[in-house]
Amino acid sequence: MTQQKLTDEPPTHSRQLGIRLSSTRRGARLARQLAVQQFTEWIGLPHDSDPARAVALVMAELASNAMRHGSLPGRDFRLTLLLLDQGFRIEVTDTRPERCPRRPATEPASPDVPSGRGLLLVEAYAERWGWQGRDAYTKTVWAEVARPV
């Protein structure tokens, strides 16, 4: 699993879906449901398969971060799903380019701290993840979940 900031174009894909969602809990929940539904349709696996669960977990974290840390009042986030030859790519574009994700600490957080472990999960379940500033107003955080062999 690797994390990186990319400045080049995303990999080629065979299918793509993009949608704007509200930066609310409801928008984050819809993003998770849509990502799992699209993954299972494109890949042909059931919703309760391990890869579908990985997609749900990664999507939940990226959408939650966009909602909590990447939104401005009245601004939505954009979800883009891509079917790649080697996997399934999730991209979440938000309106706070100055708030870039940091590589998660390798030390576990104190049990008393209620948050701060999400990117550890992304790093564990995604083959690759990173972020990209595309313009002065947005940033895209992305993760790729491996396609089952």
Side-chain angles (χ1 to χ4, degrees):
M1 285 126 251
T2 61
Q3 185 265 344
Q4 55 192 274
K5 179 182 183 236
L6 292 181
T7 55
D8 57 348
E9 292 300 312
T12 59
H13 58 278
S14 59
R15 294 184 185 177
Q16 178 176 345
L17 173 76
I19 188 171
R20 281 180 35 187
L21 297 164
S22 65
S23 293
T24 62
R25 283 198 222 155
R26 181 173 186 259
R29 184 177 65 247
L30 289 171
R32 181 181 49 80
Q33 292 170 341
L34 180 61
V36 171
Q37 179 65 33
Q38 211 54 57
F39 175 80
T40 58
E41 282 184 26
W42 286 347
I43 302 292
L45 291 173
H47 284 80
D48 63 349
S49 66
D50 286 340
R53 288 184 181 130
V55 166
L57 193 144
V58 169
M59 180 71 255
E61 180 56 31
L62 296 185
S64 175
N65 282 351
M67 179 191 77
R68 288 186 180 139
H69 309 295
S71 67
L72 292 170
R75 296 286 182 91
D76 299 334
F77 68 90
R78 179 163 183 77
L79 169 62
T80 304
L81 305 172
L82 303 158
L83 181 61
L84 309 174
D85 290 338
Q86 70 278 11
F88 184 76
R89 183 175 173 120
I90 299 164
E91 296 181 351
V92 176
T93 302
D94 66 43
T95 56
R96 298 298 299 263
E98 75 280 6
R99 290 189 176 179
C100 299
R102 289 186 226 133
R103 186 164 186 78
T106 55
E107 295 295 317
S110 166
D112 299 341
V113 178
S115 64
R117 297 171 188 84
L119 289 177
L120 282 171
L121 294 173
V122 171
E123 193 155 291
Y125 284 94
E127 288 297 310
R128 300 180 332 132
W129 74 276
W131 62 274
Q132 180 176 19
R134 296 193 179 184
D135 57 41
Y137 307 104
T138 63
K139 78 169 174 303
T140 299
V141 181
W142 57 269
E144 293 175 4
V145 176
R147 201 171 184 170
V149 182

